[in-house]
Amino acid sequence: CSERDALRASNAVIAEERDALCASLGQMRGERDALLESQQSLSRERDALVADQRSITGERDALLTEKRLLSGERDALWADQKEARRERDALRADLRAVTGERDALLERVGGASAEGLSMQGQIHELKMWNEGLSGQNQELIARVSE
């Protein structure tokens, strides 16, 4: 009987150890499940972050492309502006030349006008002199006729 009691006692100890190990195993399984769930959650977060990173990279690439396009447009506009300034300067030079020609013509016309006025005055004097001569001629003719 004592051997049996010893075996029973030993079985009871083993059963307690088994129960403790089962409890510990259950706890470990719970921890493992929690860790797996956490790992899955972290994997989902990582996947979301990778997707965000791809999206941000795509947006950055689109912005860089737009920046290159805008830089090209800006450079083209600067070139157009430079050309427009050259054309404006050429037009201003043409305007100065035309203004100079106009001023020269006005001076000539003004001189001609002054000369014309002077000639009109001389013509008037000649008419008056001619009238005076006509009057003298008529006097002479009247004297000769007498």
Side-chain angles (χ1 to χ4, degrees), residues 64-101:
L64 288 173
T65 300
E66 186 176 352
K67 179 183 174 188
R68 280 192 290 275
L69 290 173
L70 290 173
S71 292
E73 289 177 17
R74 179 199 63 214
D75 293 345
L77 288 171
W78 280 348
D80 289 350
Q81 186 180 32
K82 231 178 185 178
E83 182 61 27
R85 284 182 179 155
R86 275 191 220 109
E87 290 175 8
R88 180 201 61 203
D89 292 344
L91 288 171
R92 283 182 177 168
D94 289 348
L95 179 62
R96 281 192 296 273
V98 167
T99 302
E101 290 174 14

